Amino acid sequence: MELNWPYFFSLFSMGIFWRAVVTVVELGTLSWSIGLLLGFCVASAELSGMVWLRGIAKVYVWFFRSVPLLVLLVFVFNLPQIFPRSGPYLSIPFVSGLLSLVLTETAYMAEIHRGGLISVSRGQREAGRALGLGFLGIQTRIVVPQAFRIALPTLVNEYVTVIKLTSLVSVISLPELLMTGQRLYSQNFLVMETLLAVAAYYVLIVSVFGWAFHWFERRLDLHRRQPPNLDDAAVAQLRKGMDPVTLPVPAPGAGGAPMALEMRGITKGYGSHVAVKDVDLCVAAGEVVSIIGPSGSGKTSLIRTINALEAVDAGEIILFGETFLRAGASPEHRRVRSGVRRIGMVFQNFNLFPHLTVLGNITMAPQHHGTLQPARARQVALALLDKVGLLAHAHKYPHQLSGGQQQRVAIARALALQPDIMLFDEPTSALDPELVGEVLKVIQSLAREGMTMLIVTHEMEFALNISDRVVFMEEGRTLLDLSPDLLRQQTSSDETMLRVRKFMGIAAA
């Protein structure tokens, strides 16, 4: 039996088919869009710290992924038999179909979003917290933009699935493509030609929207963005009229002036393991303190408690004479977040925001907090980039930079909030040896300017040369707190002193 090709081609000029195409696109796009938004809410609830909310979200996903869509369509369409007041709405096939698709798609979208959200590294959230951003700020400015890029290919695939699932709505007599085709071939019995045309219409819809989504996906692909270095003329133009950045360096403590930082009885544990044990540490304004010790000695845990990245189990932290953090304090508390903004943090693994340019990384926090107007924030960011030797790279993305360049950008980002204290958590350990020097030079320049700094480092010679004091930690305790000059002296026979000197590679007399 031959196909009736003239009839097949005539189906593409029929208004009823094009009206059905509009119905399919409207139903599919609305279902996908609403499911996209609601799915994100359900995914956020699944990842919530509230057990009851997490439980409700998981039950919702489990149930609506388990119920066949066809069963749900029939049930929703006939729901007015149980709830008559829903009749004016649910008796409309389009409304019943939309509701059924949204209920199902929300469950599937939630899992897609959850995959995207958990793919964003913990370090990104910590970088946001270190810049004083609250939960909503971190979600909207850091996590969601990255999670959406990660999930986009799967979300596009889900759109294609939704378009095809609209054919099931024919069971409740919505005149979409399949229903339109069925009505035609029930009259003329040209089944193959009609279904072939229906398939062609679906291919057309998927192809057009697939191309549009593919174009959008390519636009969001960060690795396709390769802004070049600014040339010398552009750099010179940026420097014209650029105000030098003056860091808020407090005068060194003297007389009754409070310490920049006081840690009293700080204890931090992870389960049964106590990483930091009853540590007392004071840092005067303008001092540079290096914290050294073997791996697992509690150095990083200690420095992370200072800006509330780790909650303390006992003790108190005081900034410039004012209580900042106590055991049990929430990192979202206004006093804590206000204190965090006075403390700059540079991480071992940089933790730059990959979806923002170098300039965007530096301006984001000041603009979010409203401490600087956008134009001024940009000027400050450019001046800081010039300070760390990266002004020509202002419009690049982090993936275009070397490790040393990324770490210098991270330092500029921390300085953008004009902190009173800077924390460095092993800032060179993730760098190749040839890149270490360029980062250490920036830190040395900050020390010369009088910035108060705490540095966790394995660079012993650097620690001796830059520090006012060196603190040695072992098994969660501070065993020694001395100036580099005293450490270099050969006179002491104290066992702890000798062990620290050996650890630091200071030659014996």
Side-chain angles (χ1 to χ4, degrees):
M1 178 180 175
E2 293 185 0
L3 290 175
N4 188 335
W5 290 109
Y7 169 73
F8 168 77
F9 288 113
S10 72
L11 295 177
F12 294 97
S13 61
M14 286 188 179
I16 54 172
F17 266 116
W18 288 107
R19 286 192 292 273
V21 166
V22 172
T23 299
V24 167
V25 171
E26 287 179 342
L27 182 60
T29 303
L30 279 173
S31 302
W32 183 84
S33 301
I34 298 172
L36 182 75
L37 296 174
L38 295 180
F40 179 79
C41 296
V42 174
S44 298
E46 282 190 279
L47 299 173
S48 168
M50 292 180 280
V51 177
W52 64 270
L53 185 60
R54 193 164 63 242
I56 292 173
K58 288 184 179 297
V59 168
Y60 177 91
V61 171
W62 162 76
F63 181 78
F64 283 102
R65 287 174 67 192
S66 303
V67 176
L69 178 58
L70 194 62
V71 173
L72 188 60
L73 280 164
V74 175
F75 178 81
V76 170
F77 188 63
N78 289 283
L79 203 57
Q81 297 178 23
I82 303 174
F83 301 105
R85 290 187 177 182
S86 65
Y89 308 102
L90 297 183
S91 60
I92 303 171
F94 187 92
V95 175
S96 292
L98 178 62
L99 178 59
S100 302
L101 281 167
V102 166
L103 289 171
T104 300
E105 283 307 305
T106 296
Y108 284 98
M109 289 287 195
E111 293 303 280
I112 295 172
H113 283 305
R114 188 169 67 87
L117 290 169
I118 63 178
S119 296
V120 178
S121 70
R122 178 186 175 188
Q124 293 289 293
R125 294 175 172 85
E126 289 183 343
R129 287 176 58 192
L131 291 170
L133 275 67
F135 175 78
L136 287 178
I138 292 171
Q139 289 295 109
T140 56
R141 288 181 173 268
I142 300 170
V143 175
V144 173
Q146 294 184 50
F148 181 73
R149 282 177 167 86
I150 294 168
L152 185 57
T154 312
L155 293 173
V156 172
N157 186 64
E158 191 63 21
Y159 180 83
V160 174
T161 301
V162 173
I163 290 294
K164 293 188 292 184
L165 285 176
T166 58
S167 62
L168 294 177
V169 187
S170 61
V171 74
I172 57 174
S173 301
L174 181 70
E176 45 68 62
L177 280 170
L178 183 59
M179 172 64 73
T180 301
Q182 287 173 333
R183 287 176 177 174
L184 280 176
Y185 70 64
S186 65
Q187 298 171 7
N188 54 33
F189 303 106
L190 296 173
V191 178
M192 294 301 294
E193 292 87 342
T194 306
L195 289 180
L196 189 60
V198 169
Y201 275 112
Y202 275 113
V203 170
L204 177 64
I205 295 170
V206 169
S207 298
V208 170
F209 281 91
W211 176 85
F213 278 121
H214 182 63
W215 174 84
F216 183 60
E217 189 177 337
R218 285 166 62 89
R219 292 279 295 175
L220 291 182
D221 185 358
L222 294 173
H223 288 279
R224 293 178 62 86
R225 302 179 186 180
Q226 301 286 335
N229 282 357
L230 298 176
D231 58 30
D232 293 342
V235 170
Q237 185 65 33
L238 286 176
R239 286 197 177 113
K240 280 185 180 179
M242 182 185 292
D243 296 328
V245 176
T246 303
L247 298 176
V249 178
M259 287 286 181
L261 173 70
E262 293 181 72
M263 306 181 77
R264 299 176 178 175
I266 297 300
T267 298
K268 171 62 186 175
Y270 304 94
S272 60
H273 172 66
V274 181
V276 179
K277 302 174 184 177
D278 196 29
V279 169
D280 293 322
L281 182 65
C282 292
V283 181
E287 263 195 315
V288 177
V289 176
S290 290
I291 304 175
I292 64 170
S295 296
S297 60
K299 307 182 301 295
T300 293
S301 294
L302 178 67
I303 203 170
R304 284 168 60 87
T305 63
I306 296 173
N307 64 346
L309 288 180
E310 298 288 353
V312 296
D313 299 326
E316 180 182 30
I317 298 175
I318 299 170
L319 290 179
F320 296 95
E322 298 179 2
T323 298
F324 160 54
L325 192 64
R326 288 194 178 102
S330 168
E332 291 294 312
H333 192 281
R334 182 180 299 175
R335 183 187 67 243
V336 174
R337 285 175 56 188
S338 177
V340 167
R341 291 204 293 272
R342 301 182 68 181
I343 304 170
M345 177 80 170
V346 177
F347 295 87
Q348 177 179 348
N349 293 316
F350 327 135
N351 291 344
L352 295 180
F353 307 131
H355 60 295
L356 299 178
T357 63
V358 166
L359 196 60
N361 265 272
I362 300 172
T363 59
M364 188 265 284
Q367 291 185 23
H368 175 80
H369 294 303
T371 56
L372 295 174
Q373 293 299 316
R376 178 58 183 161
R378 185 177 187 275
Q379 284 298 310
V380 169
L382 291 171
L384 287 170
L385 283 174
D386 200 21
K387 183 182 184 69
V388 299
L390 292 173
L391 185 57
H393 302 269
H395 301 302
K396 285 187 173 182
Y397 284 86
H399 70 265
Q400 295 179 264
L401 305 179
S402 69
Q405 290 171 332
Q406 290 190 56
Q407 193 63 294
R408 283 186 281 162
V409 172
I411 294 172
R413 181 179 66 180
L415 292 172
L417 281 175
Q418 299 187 307
D420 297 311
I421 299 173
M422 284 287 290
L423 308 178
F424 294 87
D425 182 13
E426 301 191 24
T428 60
S429 63
L431 301 178
D432 293 332
E434 63 270 19
L435 301 177
V436 169
E438 60 189 45
V439 174
L440 296 185
K441 285 179 183 177
V442 175
I443 299 174
Q444 285 172 330
S445 71
L446 293 176
R448 286 193 297 268
E449 293 175 25
M451 174 62 75
T452 308
M453 295 191 289
L454 278 84
I455 307 169
V456 171
T457 182
H458 284 109
E459 300 286 337
M460 298 304 159
E461 190 61 32
F462 171 73
L464 287 170
N465 290 335
I466 196 175
S467 306
D468 296 299
R469 289 156 51 206
V470 175
V471 175
F472 180 80
M473 289 190 68
E474 191 173 71
E475 296 182 353
R477 300 184 185 277
T478 55
L479 299 188
L480 204 68
D481 184 347
L482 288 175
S483 70
D485 289 340
L486 289 175
L487 278 171
R488 287 190 179 99
Q489 289 179 5
Q490 308 290 329
T491 55
S492 176
S493 60
D494 180 79
E495 182 182 341
T496 302
M497 173 77 83
L498 293 174
R499 188 146 51 91
V500 173
R501 285 168 53 82
K502 182 180 179 180
F503 178 83
M504 298 188 73
I506 299 175

